Amino acid sequence: MRNPLDPAELNAALENVHRAGMPGLFAEVRDGDTVWRGAAGVADTATGRPVTPDMRHRVGSITKTFTAAAVLQQAENGRMDLDAPIGRHLPELLGGERGEAITIRMLIGHTSGLAEYLPYAYPSLKAFPALAETGPESLDDHRFTRFDPVELIRMGVAAPPVGVPGGIPGVYSNTNYLLLVRLLERVTGTTAERYITEHVIERAGLRDTAFPTGPCIDGPHSQLHEAWFGMIDPPRDYSVYDMSWVGPSASLVSTVSDLNRFYRLLLAGEIVDRSSLEQMQRTAPVISQEGKTIGYGLGLYPMESPGEATYWGHGGTVWGAGALAMIRADGGRQLAVAVNLQRWNRLDASGMPQPHPIDEALAEFHRVAMYG
């Protein structure tokens, strides 16, 4: 509000992320009716093909906001109660005392205590979060694996719990959202992909956002470079990958323009009603996959800086791809950015990710984009 967009400053900050080691990134920043789009670096490290701001990109767990909105729509329609036990809807997947104790709301807000299934689906990641004891081998092994979502859920349910139902802090877990996908299908009688497409994506008028129908990304896109903490050197392209390992909880392909449009309409009360939006913005402490404690709502979380306005949105990562979409609480300013390298931090002697120049440069770009 105080600082209008400065294209030169935004271009310089974006270029600095590329110079710090990011192969390519692109973004859209909006302030009222003013729109800036920019790109820096390459989409293909072998040919030097540049990234462009209109590229389609795997946006990972940003998909969770779409899934949460779809579930909240069903609650608005009286088809489910967010405080009802999940076991009443999906007893075959989560029954007994645990199914009665875990509510739909706990799944959306990651306070169910259910463990993450990924270390069990990917054998070389079994030691996660002990990063030094993991390896990237199974990322290649499962490039074209067609995972059964029910089996993935069962892995997470069978794993030792990471907390008690409703316990604080919660722990971020993709198992929660695969259960929400199954719940959505049980309640609507159609696939989650179809329901979310018709009632969230199309409702928002998004033209370049879709669930993948195969391992390839349709339309112009970048290679997606995965480094797995320096264990893949040089980083490997995972843009061709079967996304059933996350399914409709984290597999959307979108553009930075579509992401900004979606969050703008969401905060305007045009995807879910105002009461649902208020619930999405009630946060509780949750431990992220990076081991940091964040405030997490129902498919949304805030980004805050001292003395500055609060932003709402979500980030996402999959193999090789990262994205972040944030909108100021008053809807006046937005950022959506996509990067084509993940897990660039090498590990130190204690097995912890070392700081990398990309971290500081990316944080500075976020600051310039959101606060000027």
Side-chain angles (χ1 to χ4, degrees):
M1 194 173 301
R2 299 189 308 272
N3 302 301
L5 298 188
D6 184 332
E9 190 177 14
L10 287 162
N11 285 323
L14 201 70
E15 184 63 34
N16 284 340
V17 182
H18 170 54
R19 289 176 179 168
M22 179 62 63
L25 71 162
F26 46 100
E28 179 186 89
V29 181
R30 304 179 69 96
D31 192 343
D33 294 330
T34 304
V35 181
W36 169 90
R37 297 183 184 94
V42 299
D44 188 323
T45 54
T47 67
R49 175 172 59 92
V51 287
T52 58
D54 60 346
M55 282 184 161
R56 304 188 84 209
H57 195 73
R58 297 198 193 278
V59 300
S61 285
I62 289 176
T63 312
K64 288 180 171 60
T65 310
F66 290 72
T67 304
V71 173
L72 283 158
Q73 286 177 355
Q74 289 300 298
E76 291 171 8
N77 294 337
R79 302 291 298 278
M80 66 175 76
D81 178 352
L82 296 186
D83 295 309
I86 187 62
R88 296 182 187 176
H89 291 276
L90 300 171
E92 74 282 9
L93 293 178
L94 196 58
E97 291 183 9
R98 212 170 173 200
E100 280 295 310
I102 295 173
T103 67
I104 297 168
R105 188 185 302 276
M106 292 174 195
L107 296 175
I108 311 173
H110 295 292
T111 59
S112 69
L114 292 170
E116 174 63 62
Y117 64 80
L118 282 176
Y120 302 91
Y122 283 76
S124 67
L125 306 185
K126 187 175 182 180
F128 185 87
L131 297 175
E133 299 174 29
T134 66
E137 297 80 13
S138 52
L139 274 64
D140 277 333
D141 295 342
H142 286 316
R143 185 186 287 268
F144 297 109
T145 299
R146 194 68 187 166
F147 283 103
D148 180 347
V150 170
E151 289 305 310
L152 294 177
I153 291 169
R154 286 177 174 157
M155 290 176 189
V157 170
V162 292
V164 298
I168 298 298
V171 178
Y172 190 98
S173 169
N174 282 290
T175 305
N176 293 317
Y177 273 73
L178 280 192
L179 278 163
L180 290 171
V181 165
R182 302 299 291 185
L183 170 67
L184 199 58
E185 293 177 340
R186 182 67 52 86
V187 170
T188 65
T190 188
T191 65
E193 291 96 334
R194 178 175 294 177
Y195 181 86
I196 295 170
T197 297
E198 292 178 355
H199 296 273
V200 180
I201 295 171
E202 292 179 359
R203 184 168 179 172
L206 309 185
R207 298 181 179 181
D208 294 301
T209 300
F211 289 101
T213 56
C216 297
I217 301 172
D218 293 333
H221 62 277
S222 172
Q223 290 184 336
L224 305 177
H225 308 94
E226 179 61 52
W228 194 256
F229 306 103
M231 299 179 206
I232 306 176
D233 190 12
R236 193 168 299 134
D237 173 27
Y238 284 134
S239 57
V240 177
Y241 209 98
D242 190 300
M243 296 303 293
S244 60
W245 64 282
V246 284
S249 69
S251 62
L252 269 182
V253 172
S254 190
T255 63
V256 289
S257 294
D258 266 10
L259 292 178
N260 273 342
R261 178 177 175 83
F262 168 68
Y263 282 101
R264 190 162 62 252
L265 293 175
L266 179 68
L267 259 69
E270 296 187 31
I271 307 299
V272 298
D273 67 26
R274 289 289 182 180
S275 174
S276 294
L277 182 60
E278 288 175 4
Q279 294 183 71
M280 294 180 82
Q281 293 177 294
R282 293 176 196 159
T283 65
V286 168
I287 300 172
S288 72
Q289 288 185 318
E290 294 74 34
K292 299 176 181 178
T293 300
I294 62 173
Y296 196 93
L298 300 183
L300 282 177
Y301 62 80
M303 284 183 69
E304 299 170 298
S305 183
E308 301 286 359
T310 298
Y311 277 71
W312 290 91
H314 213 290
T317 70
V318 291
W319 311 136
L324 177 71
M326 285 283 158
I327 179 169
R328 200 169 61 199
D330 65 4
R333 189 146 170 167
Q334 291 186 262
L335 158 69
V337 58
V339 300
N340 66 6
L341 171 67
Q342 281 300 288
R343 284 156 283 273
W344 53 77
N345 305 84
R346 292 178 179 268
L347 304 180
D348 62 20
S350 65
M352 297 300 293
Q354 299 180 50
H356 191 288
I358 290 175
D359 302 323
E360 186 175 346
L362 198 54
E364 176 62 11
F365 173 71
H366 294 161
R367 186 198 66 77
V368 169
M370 292 193 291
Y371 308 116

